[in-house]
Amino acid sequence: GQSLEQPSEVTAVEGAIVQINCTYQTSGFYGLSWYQQHDGGAPTFLSYNALDGLEETGRFSSFLSRSDSYGYLLLQELQMKDSASYFCAGLFSGGYNKLIFGAGTRLAVHP
Amino acid sequence: DVKVTQSSRYLVKRTGEKVFLECVQDMDHENMFWYRQDPGLGLRLIYFSYDVKMKEKGDIPEGYSVSREKKERFSLILESASTNQTSMYLCASRSTELNTGELFFGEGSRLTVL
């Protein structure tokens, strides 16, 4: 199968670090993406990991471990504007590449 | 910048009506996708198209069909709308050249079926 699991909600305070985990089923898996979506907005792409390891882009980092079928998004120096929903999405091939999304993690950042 | 444009932000239709949701992208992307988004369920893939006139079913294709006659345009069709199709519909496109998991999304079409 092709599905992804992530926590439904995470709460943190400004300035803190938060990690959002994502596990996936491996059938046809190519890589893992992360998206951010603010209320009322469209999802926007944050990162993509095809290889094991950590990818850093400013305050956000994304990690993938293919052997553990697991990845995470790490958000540092949290700001109020980071309050949003975060989706992991697996790139899978069943002949043609398609992206399957997790149910999303709602991050609430408090002062 | 890539632009993905969905024809209607808000639609209200009646049960049994035929509904067309249009999506146009301006970056010559090969792949286009239709998702629906419901609270607590994330984005679920309805259909995708990997090239003109080519389509593949996603995870929840029942009650929907699609059309891709031109590379830039991907239409989602609800042949006979039902109340359980009330949802936010998101169109996205992707370049196969980059071969990454980056999708470009439209702003969404919120459909209410009465």
Side-chain angles (χ1 to χ4, degrees):
Chain A
Q2 298 166 344
S3 66
L4 299 96
E5 299 287 331
Q6 55 183 124
S8 59
E9 290 184 21
V10 173
T11 302
V13 296
E14 266 188 307
I17 299 172
V18 72
Q19 179 174 313
I20 300 174
N21 298 321
C22 176
T23 58
Y24 60 87
Q25 296 189 350
T26 58
S27 175
F29 178 81
Y30 275 175
L32 191 69
S33 295
W34 288 93
Y35 287 79
Q36 179 191 60
Q37 185 180 32
H38 286 100
D39 287 346
T44 55
F45 174 77
L46 293 176
S47 66
Y48 176 69
N49 293 64
L51 304 175
D52 284 359
L54 190 68
E55 298 270 347
E56 298 182 58
T57 309
R59 294 187 297 115
F60 294 1
S61 303
S62 56
F63 173 83
L64 178 66
S65 169
R66 300 178 75 95
S67 59
D68 296 321
S69 301
Y70 161 75
Y72 64 73
L73 180 69
L74 190 73
L75 297 86
Q76 301 183 73
E77 301 172 21
L78 281 172
Q79 302 175 9
M80 297 294 289
K81 68 178 182 179
D82 297 329
S83 293
S85 292
Y86 292 85
F87 295 88
C88 59
L91 184 62
F92 293 94
S93 173
Y96 297 94
N97 292 354
K98 58 181 179 179
L99 259 81
I100 303 298
F101 283 74
T105 299
R106 190 163 187 87
L107 170 64
V109 180
H110 296 289
Chain B
D1 282 349
V2 174
K3 192 166 180 64
V4 179
T5 304
Q6 295 184 226
S7 55
S8 305
R9 288 297 306 273
Y10 301 94
L11 303 93
V12 179
K13 299 292 182 180
R14 296 202 175 277
T15 301
E17 279 192 80
K18 191 169 185 176
V19 182
F20 293 87
L21 299 180
E22 305 284 342
C23 176
V24 177
Q25 51 97 1
D26 66 358
M27 278 300 290
D28 202 37
H29 284 173
E30 295 81 8
N31 296 169
M32 295 188 75
F33 304 79
W34 275 107
Y35 292 88
R36 63 175 283 176
Q37 183 172 22
D38 301 287
L41 297 177
L43 283 75
R44 292 181 291 165
L45 182 62
I46 304 171
Y47 267 97
F48 66 105
S49 169
Y50 47 91
D51 209 340
V52 178
K53 296 190 187 294
M54 307 301 239
K55 61 186 179 184
E56 287 283 330
K57 292 181 180 179
D59 296 324
I60 51 164
E62 296 79 18
Y64 303 95
S65 62
V66 290
S67 171
R68 191 154 179 217
E69 296 297 316
K70 294 185 178 181
K71 193 173 186 179
E72 67 270 20
R73 187 179 298 270
F74 190 36
S75 303
L76 180 69
I77 303 153
L78 289 68
E79 294 288 342
S80 178
S82 63
T83 55
N84 62 12
Q85 293 178 310
T86 291
S87 187
M88 171 67 84
Y89 290 88
L90 290 162
C91 174
S93 72
R94 172 178 172 266
S95 168
T96 55
E97 282 186 30
L98 297 176
N99 200 29
T100 70
E102 182 173 10
L103 294 183
F104 295 86
F105 280 90
E107 290 298 310
S109 298
R110 183 167 292 282
L111 172 66
T112 301
V113 183
L114 303 176

